[in-house]
């Protein structure tokens, strides 16, 4: 292949990653960030991380435990191979999910081909696959990542939207809950409600601050997720 053809080939291979880099480095405005579609797609990705993490972690740990417990028998190695293959399937799902919600296009690693026909050669090639074990590691890491990303994203959006809109629904407490407002704390029979105009305004301001900071927290979590996908699933 000529040098020009090789350069052209490398150029086309790098283009998806340059596009991803531009997407990640483009900084949304502080006041417009909560309303950008990209932020909501990334937020959806962070929320879905928890059920995905539970699924992948449970599968990886269960299959690996069964495989190692029976490795001295004939069924142990096939179970371990199935664990690796299943995690590679999860990896394909995660690359597709990242492509849709994180604007990240990662090329799938090539499967490891057995050097000879037969089931044992196939099992050996699967267990020697570095890409397969990286997918296995990704499946394990998705549980802590899922807990963190779901908790931070859900709490910040709920607090930001809920407290930021407090002046719009504060009237619910005196009319339907027989309370002056949102309860701040109670100590020895002394209860403080957020009911006065300054308190309502301060609650709204705090909520709006969290609301406009939430996209940046989501953006940081999405950057970690992209690094995981690219480093372990590419």
């Amino acid at each position: 292949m000529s040098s020009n053809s090789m350069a052209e080939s490398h150029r086309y291979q790098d283009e998806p990653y340059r596009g991803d880099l531009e997407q990640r480095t483009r900084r949304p405005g502080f006041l417009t960030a909560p309303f950008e579609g990209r932020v909501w797609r990334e937020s959806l990705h962070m929320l879905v991380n928890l059920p995905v993490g539970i699924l992948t972690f449970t599968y990886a740990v269960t299959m690996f435990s069964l495989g190692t417990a029976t490795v001295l028998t004939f069924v142990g190695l096939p179970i371990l191979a199935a664990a690796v293959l299943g995690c590679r399937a999860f990896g394909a799902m995660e690359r597709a999910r990242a492509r849709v919600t994180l604007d990240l296009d990662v090329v799938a690693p090539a499967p490891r081909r057995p050097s000879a026909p037969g089931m044992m050669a196939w099992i050996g090639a699967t267990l020697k696959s570095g890409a397969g074990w990286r997918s296995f590691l990704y499946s394990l890491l998705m549980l802590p990542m899922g807990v963190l990303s779901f908790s931070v994203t859900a709490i910040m959006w709920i607090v930001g939207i809920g407290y930021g809109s407090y002046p719009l629904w504060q009237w619910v407490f005196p009319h339907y809950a027989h309370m002056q407002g949102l309860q701040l704390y109670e100590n020895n029979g002394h209860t403080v409600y957020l009911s006065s105009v300054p308190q309502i305004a301060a609650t709204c301001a705090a909520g709006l601050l969290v609301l406009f900071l939430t996209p940046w927290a989501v953006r940081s979590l999405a950057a970690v997720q992209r690094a995981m996908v690219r480093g372990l699933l590419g």
Side-chain angles (χ1 to χ4, degrees):
M1 181 182 294
S2 66
S3 59
N4 290 338
S5 299
M6 293 179 63
E8 188 74 10
S9 174
H10 286 299
R11 182 175 69 84
Y12 284 120
Q13 290 177 2
D14 292 340
E15 278 180 356
Y17 296 98
R18 281 204 296 268
D20 298 336
L21 183 60
E22 290 172 0
Q23 285 283 350
R24 293 194 303 275
T25 56
R26 182 179 62 82
R27 294 183 178 276
F30 182 77
L31 296 179
T32 60
F35 310 102
E36 290 198 354
R38 173 193 171 190
V39 171
W40 287 99
R41 289 194 301 272
E42 291 176 344
S43 297
L44 177 62
H45 192 104
M46 297 304 110
L47 295 175
V48 176
N49 272 350
L50 181 58
V52 170
I54 294 173
L55 173 64
T56 60
F57 182 89
T58 302
Y59 177 86
V61 170
T62 302
M63 294 295 288
F64 185 79
S65 300
L66 288 175
T68 53
T70 58
V71 72
L72 296 180
T73 67
F74 177 75
V75 297
L77 292 179
I79 292 176
L80 288 175
V84 173
L85 285 178
C87 290
R88 288 201 64 158
F90 287 137
M93 176 189 71
E94 286 297 278
R95 285 191 299 271
R97 194 163 66 99
R99 189 178 303 114
V100 173
T101 56
L102 298 182
D103 296 321
L104 177 65
D105 192 5
V106 175
V107 179
R112 190 181 182 95
R113 303 295 182 184
S115 57
M119 181 177 180
M120 293 308 298
W122 174 80
I123 292 174
T126 302
L127 295 179
K128 292 177 183 177
S129 171
W133 288 108
R134 288 195 300 272
S135 299
F136 181 86
L137 177 59
Y138 180 92
S139 298
L140 296 179
L141 294 177
M142 272 303 295
L143 181 59
M145 180 61 184
V147 172
L148 175 64
S149 62
F150 180 92
S151 301
V152 171
T153 303
I155 290 173
M156 292 192 72
W157 278 120
I158 291 173
V159 170
I161 296 174
Y163 286 5
S165 61
Y166 184 54
L168 301 178
W169 52 274
Q170 187 273 338
W171 60 270
V172 171
F173 292 97
H175 280 77
Y176 297 103
H178 305 292
M179 299 168 57
Q180 299 176 27
L182 191 65
Q183 182 176 320
L184 183 60
Y185 71 88
E186 181 179 4
N187 185 24
N188 295 327
H190 177 65
T191 305
V192 175
Y193 296 99
L194 301 173
S195 56
S196 67
V197 173
Q199 290 172 334
I200 294 174
T203 302
C204 176
L208 290 176
L209 178 61
V210 174
L211 177 65
F212 286 103
L213 290 177
T214 299
W216 306 98
V218 172
R219 180 185 175 92
S220 300
L221 292 169
V224 175
Q225 186 83 50
R226 289 187 181 96
M228 288 175 58
V229 173
R230 178 174 284 114
L232 297 177
L233 302 181

